[in-house]
Amino acid sequence: MSLVVSELLEQMQVEMERLALWQATPPTAEQFQSDVPFCMNTMACSQWLQWVYIARLKALIEGDCQLPNGAQVHPYAEEAFKSEGLEAKVLLELIAQLDKILA
């Protein structure tokens, strides 16, 4: 399962780069301090995906740790991208696949 998740994470990064959503500079330390799910009050969805979700899953895989169960990121990402006016069909499909694998 880790191999499949790693491949999906790589595909998500490539798609985010294609959409010019992948950032070179991380959010501020304060932005990571959010106690709201998905850091909705401090980060854009794409920032949270890159700097929290993808980074955390990669760290778990690299550390040979158990991956989380029950991920439900797709509904949030779909609504967030819609409100941002972002057309991200491929990225949303990748997120849905990842949700399914981690369910």
Side-chain angles (χ1 to χ4, degrees), residues 28-66:
T28 65
E30 292 80 24
Q31 288 175 282
F32 285 99
Q33 302 287 328
S34 175
D35 58 356
V36 175
F38 309 108
C39 298
M40 288 189 301
N41 62 338
T42 59
M43 293 184 197
C45 179
S46 59
Q47 288 178 302
W48 179 83
L49 282 171
Q50 176 181 352
W51 298 103
V52 178
Y53 192 58
I54 292 172
R56 182 70 178 140
L57 289 175
K58 284 183 176 182
L60 289 171
I61 291 167
E62 289 170 9
D64 201 26
C65 298
Q66 185 174 2

